[in-house]
Protein backbone atom coordinates (compact mmCIF):
# COMPACT_ATOMS: atom_id res chain seq x y z
CA UNK A 1 0.00 0.00 0.00
CA UNK A 2 1.41 3.39 -0.95
CA UNK A 3 1.36 6.24 1.52
CA UNK A 4 1.39 8.77 -1.31
CA UNK A 5 -0.93 9.18 -4.28
CA UNK A 6 0.66 10.60 -7.46
CA UNK A 7 2.76 13.02 -5.35
CA UNK A 8 5.13 14.24 -8.03
CA UNK A 9 2.39 15.56 -10.27
CA UNK A 10 0.30 16.79 -7.34
CA UNK A 11 3.34 18.33 -5.63
CA UNK A 12 4.35 20.18 -8.79
CA UNK A 13 0.83 21.53 -9.16
CA UNK A 14 0.75 22.68 -5.56
CA UNK A 15 4.12 24.45 -5.79
CA UNK A 16 2.94 26.15 -8.99
CA UNK A 17 -0.20 27.27 -7.17
CA UNK A 18 1.98 28.68 -4.40
CA UNK A 19 4.06 30.60 -6.91
CA UNK A 20 0.97 32.02 -8.59
CA UNK A 21 -0.45 33.02 -5.22
CA UNK A 22 2.79 34.83 -4.40
CA UNK A 23 2.54 36.80 -7.64
CA UNK A 24 -1.10 37.74 -7.26
CA UNK A 25 -1.56 38.39 -3.56
CA UNK A 26 -0.85 41.49 -1.55
CA UNK A 27 2.01 41.14 0.97
CA UNK A 28 0.85 41.06 4.57
CA UNK A 29 2.34 43.07 7.39
CA UNK A 30 5.97 42.04 8.07
CA UNK A 31 6.47 39.65 10.96
CA UNK A 32 7.82 40.80 14.30
CA UNK A 33 11.11 39.40 15.66
CA UNK A 34 10.83 35.73 16.59
CA UNK A 35 12.38 34.13 19.66
CA UNK A 36 11.93 30.77 21.33
CA UNK A 37 10.93 30.21 24.96
CA UNK A 38 14.54 30.50 26.10
CA UNK A 39 14.95 33.88 24.42
CA UNK A 40 17.12 32.67 21.53
CA UNK A 41 16.31 34.48 18.30
CA UNK A 42 16.57 33.42 14.69
CA UNK A 43 18.80 35.09 12.14
CA UNK A 44 15.85 36.60 10.26
CA UNK A 45 13.84 39.48 11.64
CA UNK A 46 11.00 41.63 10.39
CA UNK A 47 10.34 41.59 6.67
CA UNK A 48 13.32 39.28 6.08
CA UNK A 49 11.08 36.44 7.29
CA UNK A 50 9.27 34.90 4.29
CA UNK A 51 5.60 35.83 4.29
CA UNK A 52 3.77 32.51 4.22
CA UNK A 53 0.41 34.17 3.77
CA UNK A 54 1.51 35.73 0.48
CA UNK A 55 3.46 32.64 -0.58
CA UNK A 56 0.80 30.04 0.26
CA UNK A 57 -2.43 29.41 -1.63
CA UNK A 58 -5.46 28.68 0.50
CA UNK A 59 -5.63 25.10 1.86
CA UNK A 60 -7.47 22.63 -0.39
CA UNK A 61 -11.20 23.27 -0.52
CA UNK A 62 -13.50 20.45 0.65
CA UNK A 63 -14.25 18.05 -2.19
CA UNK A 64 -11.36 19.29 -4.34
CA UNK A 65 -8.78 16.94 -5.86
CA UNK A 66 -6.20 18.15 -3.35
CA UNK A 67 -8.56 17.56 -0.41
CA UNK A 68 -9.27 14.05 -1.67
CA UNK A 69 -5.53 13.40 -1.93
CA UNK A 70 -5.03 14.69 1.62
CA UNK A 71 -7.74 12.40 2.92
CA UNK A 72 -6.42 9.37 1.02
CA UNK A 73 -2.90 9.86 2.37
CA UNK A 74 -4.24 10.34 5.91
CA UNK A 75 -6.21 7.07 5.70
CA UNK A 76 -3.13 5.20 4.57
CA UNK A 77 -0.93 6.86 7.20
CA UNK A 78 -3.26 5.66 9.95
CA UNK A 79 -2.45 2.05 9.01
CA UNK A 80 1.13 2.64 10.19
CA UNK A 81 0.12 3.31 13.80
CA UNK A 82 1.86 1.03 16.28
CA UNK A 83 4.74 0.34 13.88
CA UNK A 84 8.42 1.21 14.23
CA UNK A 85 7.76 4.02 11.76
CA UNK A 86 5.07 5.40 14.05
CA UNK A 87 7.53 5.36 16.95
CA UNK A 88 10.07 7.16 14.76
CA UNK A 89 7.44 9.81 14.05
CA UNK A 90 7.12 10.26 17.82
CA UNK A 91 10.89 10.75 18.09
CA UNK A 92 10.90 13.16 15.17
CA UNK A 93 8.25 15.31 16.84
CA UNK A 94 10.71 16.55 19.48
CA UNK A 95 12.20 19.83 18.30
CA UNK A 96 13.30 21.01 21.73
CA UNK A 97 17.03 21.42 22.22
CA UNK A 98 19.29 19.57 22.82
CA UNK A 99 17.20 16.67 21.44
CA UNK A 100 16.27 18.60 18.30
CA UNK A 101 19.91 19.01 17.33
CA UNK A 102 20.19 15.24 16.84
CA UNK A 103 17.27 14.79 14.44
CA UNK A 104 19.46 14.67 11.34
CA UNK A 105 22.67 13.51 13.04
CA UNK A 106 22.55 9.98 11.60
CA UNK A 107 22.27 11.32 8.06
CA UNK A 108 25.03 13.82 8.78
CA UNK A 109 27.27 11.12 10.24
CA UNK A 110 28.32 13.03 13.36
CA UNK A 111 26.70 13.84 16.71
CA UNK A 112 25.61 17.45 17.23
CA UNK A 113 25.90 18.99 20.69
CA UNK A 114 26.52 22.34 22.32
CA UNK A 115 29.81 21.12 23.77
CA UNK A 116 31.33 19.25 20.81
CA UNK A 117 29.89 21.16 17.85
CA UNK A 118 28.84 24.56 19.20
CA UNK A 119 28.74 26.33 15.82
CA UNK A 120 26.62 23.63 14.21
CA UNK A 121 24.38 23.46 17.27
CA UNK A 122 23.85 27.23 17.17
CA UNK A 123 23.15 27.13 13.43
CA UNK A 124 20.43 24.49 13.83
CA UNK A 125 18.91 26.15 16.88
CA UNK A 126 18.60 29.55 15.26
CA UNK A 127 17.42 28.33 11.85
CA UNK A 128 14.76 26.25 13.59
CA UNK A 129 13.24 29.54 14.73
CA UNK A 130 13.52 31.06 11.26
CA UNK A 131 11.87 28.15 9.46
CA UNK A 132 9.09 28.02 12.04
CA UNK A 133 8.51 31.76 11.76
CA UNK A 134 8.17 31.38 8.00
CA UNK A 135 4.96 29.35 8.49
CA UNK A 136 3.27 31.41 11.19
CA UNK A 137 1.33 33.98 9.13
CA UNK A 138 -0.50 31.34 7.09
CA UNK A 139 -1.01 29.09 10.12
CA UNK A 140 -2.63 31.90 12.07
CA UNK A 141 -4.72 33.08 9.13
CA UNK A 142 -6.13 29.78 7.87
CA UNK A 143 -6.31 27.92 11.22
CA UNK A 144 -6.75 24.66 9.35
CA UNK A 145 -7.95 21.73 11.52
CA UNK A 146 -5.49 18.89 11.85
CA UNK A 147 -6.21 15.34 10.64
CA UNK A 148 -6.70 13.84 14.10
CA UNK A 149 -9.43 16.36 14.85
CA UNK A 150 -11.29 15.14 11.76
CA UNK A 151 -10.65 11.39 11.74
CA UNK A 152 -10.48 10.98 15.55
CA UNK A 153 -7.59 8.53 15.21
CA UNK A 154 -4.63 8.65 17.65
CA UNK A 155 -1.53 10.75 17.12
CA UNK A 156 2.08 9.84 17.91
CA UNK A 157 2.18 12.64 20.53
CA UNK A 158 -1.02 12.43 22.60
CA UNK A 159 0.36 14.84 25.21
CA UNK A 160 0.57 17.53 22.54
CA UNK A 161 -2.95 17.18 21.18
CA UNK A 162 -4.51 19.97 23.25
CA UNK A 163 -1.91 22.44 22.04
CA UNK A 164 -2.11 21.16 18.46
CA UNK A 165 -5.87 21.68 18.36
CA UNK A 166 -5.23 25.39 18.91
CA UNK A 167 -2.46 25.61 16.31
CA UNK A 168 -3.15 25.73 12.57
CA UNK A 169 -2.16 22.73 10.48
CA UNK A 170 -1.15 24.56 7.30
CA UNK A 171 1.72 24.84 6.48
CA UNK A 172 3.63 22.29 8.57
CA UNK A 173 6.17 23.99 10.81
CA UNK A 174 8.02 20.73 11.62
CA UNK A 175 8.36 20.03 7.91
CA UNK A 176 9.66 23.53 7.20
CA UNK A 177 12.30 23.09 9.89
CA UNK A 178 13.36 19.61 8.81
CA UNK A 179 13.58 20.64 5.15
CA UNK A 180 15.53 23.81 5.98
CA UNK A 181 17.96 21.77 8.08
CA UNK A 182 18.41 19.24 5.28
CA UNK A 183 19.22 22.00 2.80
CA UNK A 184 21.63 23.76 5.15
CA UNK A 185 23.41 20.59 6.24
CA UNK A 186 23.72 19.50 2.60
CA UNK A 187 25.74 22.66 1.99
CA UNK A 188 27.94 21.94 4.98
CA UNK A 189 28.39 18.26 4.12
CA UNK A 190 27.81 17.86 0.36
CA UNK A 191 29.17 14.30 0.47
CA UNK A 192 26.17 13.41 2.67
CA UNK A 193 23.65 15.48 0.69
CA UNK A 194 21.61 12.55 -0.60
CA UNK A 195 21.19 11.03 2.87
CA UNK A 196 20.38 14.43 4.35
CA UNK A 197 17.76 15.29 1.74
CA UNK A 198 16.14 11.87 2.14
CA UNK A 199 16.07 12.44 5.89
CA UNK A 200 14.58 15.90 5.43
CA UNK A 201 11.83 14.42 3.29
CA UNK A 202 11.17 11.59 5.75
CA UNK A 203 11.11 14.08 8.58
CA UNK A 204 8.15 15.79 6.94
CA UNK A 205 6.53 12.43 6.24
CA UNK A 206 6.66 11.72 9.98
CA UNK A 207 4.00 14.39 10.43
CA UNK A 208 1.70 12.35 8.18
CA UNK A 209 2.43 9.13 10.06
CA UNK A 210 1.83 10.99 13.32
CA UNK A 211 -1.66 12.00 12.06
CA UNK A 212 -1.06 15.67 12.85
CA UNK A 213 -0.68 17.09 9.31
CA UNK A 214 -2.23 16.73 5.89
CA UNK A 215 -0.14 15.98 2.81
CA UNK A 216 -0.64 19.52 1.44
CA UNK A 217 0.55 20.91 4.81
CA UNK A 218 3.79 19.00 4.36
CA UNK A 219 4.30 20.06 0.75
CA UNK A 220 3.79 23.72 1.61
CA UNK A 221 6.01 23.30 4.67
CA UNK A 222 8.84 22.20 2.38
CA UNK A 223 8.20 25.26 0.21
CA UNK A 224 8.41 27.62 3.18
CA UNK A 225 11.50 25.88 4.57
CA UNK A 226 13.25 26.45 1.25
CA UNK A 227 12.06 30.07 1.20
CA UNK A 228 13.58 30.61 4.64
CA UNK A 229 16.94 29.16 3.55
CA UNK A 230 16.95 31.42 0.49
CA UNK A 231 16.55 34.48 2.73
CA UNK A 232 19.14 33.19 5.20
CA UNK A 233 21.81 33.36 2.50
CA UNK A 234 21.48 37.13 2.53
CA UNK A 235 22.19 37.28 6.28
CA UNK A 236 25.84 37.96 7.29
CA UNK A 237 25.52 36.23 10.68
CA UNK A 238 24.16 33.09 9.05
CA UNK A 239 26.92 33.13 6.42
CA UNK A 240 29.59 33.41 9.12
CA UNK A 241 28.09 30.60 11.20
CA UNK A 242 27.69 28.42 8.12
CA UNK A 243 31.39 28.74 7.35
CA UNK A 244 32.35 28.07 10.96
CA UNK A 245 30.08 25.01 11.09
CA UNK A 246 31.65 23.62 7.91
CA UNK A 247 35.13 23.89 9.42
CA UNK A 248 33.89 22.46 12.70
CA UNK A 249 32.38 19.45 10.96
CA UNK A 250 35.69 18.57 9.31
CA UNK A 251 37.41 18.60 12.69
CA UNK A 252 34.73 16.57 14.47
CA UNK A 253 34.58 13.91 11.77
CA UNK A 254 38.25 13.15 12.34
CA UNK A 255 37.47 12.38 16.00
CA UNK A 256 35.06 9.56 15.09
CA UNK A 257 32.75 10.36 18.01
CA UNK A 258 30.04 7.86 19.04
CA UNK A 259 26.53 8.60 17.84
CA UNK A 260 23.94 9.55 20.48
CA UNK A 261 21.16 7.40 18.97
CA UNK A 262 20.73 4.01 17.33
CA UNK A 263 21.20 4.97 13.70
CA UNK A 264 20.66 1.41 12.46
CA UNK A 265 17.25 1.28 14.13
CA UNK A 266 16.37 4.73 12.78
CA UNK A 267 17.35 3.69 9.25
CA UNK A 268 15.30 0.50 9.52
CA UNK A 269 12.25 2.42 10.72
CA UNK A 270 12.54 4.97 7.93
CA UNK A 271 13.09 2.26 5.33
CA UNK A 272 9.78 0.73 6.35
CA UNK A 273 8.12 4.00 5.35
CA UNK A 274 6.44 3.72 1.96
CA UNK A 275 8.69 5.93 -0.20
CA UNK A 276 7.34 8.76 -2.28
CA UNK A 277 7.15 7.85 -5.96
CA UNK A 278 10.23 9.03 -7.78
Amino acid sequence: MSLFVSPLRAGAAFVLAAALAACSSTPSTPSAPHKDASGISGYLQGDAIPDSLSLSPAPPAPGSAWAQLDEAVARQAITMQGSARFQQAHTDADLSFPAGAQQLSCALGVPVSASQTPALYRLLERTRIDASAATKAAKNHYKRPRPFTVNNAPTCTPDDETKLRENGSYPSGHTAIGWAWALILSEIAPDHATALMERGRNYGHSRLVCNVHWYSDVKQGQFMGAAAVARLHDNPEFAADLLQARRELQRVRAQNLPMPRDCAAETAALTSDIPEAR
Side-chain angles (χ1 to χ4, degrees), residues 107-134:
L108 182 62
V110 300
V112 180
S113 68
S115 59
Q116 295 171 320
T117 56
L120 187 53
Y121 187 94
R122 179 174 64 251
L123 191 73
L124 294 178
E125 192 170 27
R126 295 189 68 182
T127 55
R128 173 195 60 171
I129 298 169
D130 293 323
S132 175

Side-chain angles (χ1 to χ4, degrees), residues 103-264:
Q103 294 292 9
L104 273 67
S105 60
C106 290
L108 182 62
V110 300
V112 180
S113 68
S115 59
Q116 295 171 320
T117 56
L120 187 53
Y121 187 94
R122 179 174 64 251
L123 191 73
L124 294 178
E125 192 170 27
R126 295 189 68 182
T127 55
R128 173 195 60 171
I129 298 169
D130 293 323
S132 175
T135 68
K136 293 295 177 64
K139 273 180 172 289
N140 293 336
H141 178 78
Y142 292 116
K143 300 185 185 300
R144 189 185 193 188
R146 293 172 183 267
F148 74 91
T149 69
V150 176
N151 57 36
N152 295 314
T155 72
C156 71
T157 53
D159 291 344
D160 293 340
E161 289 180 11
T162 298
K163 178 177 65 177
L164 290 173
R165 286 178 186 275
E166 301 171 354
N167 182 265
S169 186
Y170 173 86
S172 167
H174 273 71
T175 299
I177 293 167
W179 195 246
W181 282 349
L183 290 170
I184 292 166
L185 292 175
S186 291
E187 292 190 56
I188 295 173
D191 55 331
H192 284 238
T194 297
L196 287 162
M197 295 306 294
E198 288 179 345
R199 184 66 179 104
R201 181 190 61 198
N202 287 331
Y203 194 79
H205 290 180
S206 284
R207 306 308 284 166
L208 305 173
V209 177
C210 193
N211 195 33
V212 294
H213 276 293
W214 305 100
Y215 183 62
S216 54
D217 300 342
V218 168
K219 296 305 293 184
Q220 191 61 20
Q222 290 178 335
F223 185 95
M224 294 312 306
V229 173
R231 296 305 304 269
L232 282 164
H233 278 287
D234 193 40
N235 183 279
E237 282 187 90
F238 171 78
D241 282 351
L242 188 72
L243 179 60
Q244 189 174 352
R246 184 179 291 118
R247 293 170 176 168
E248 184 179 76
L249 179 64
Q250 295 173 350
R251 172 180 56 80
V252 172
R253 275 189 177 172
Q255 298 176 16
N256 197 28
L257 298 172
M259 298 301 292
R261 56 174 61 187
D262 187 341
C263 291

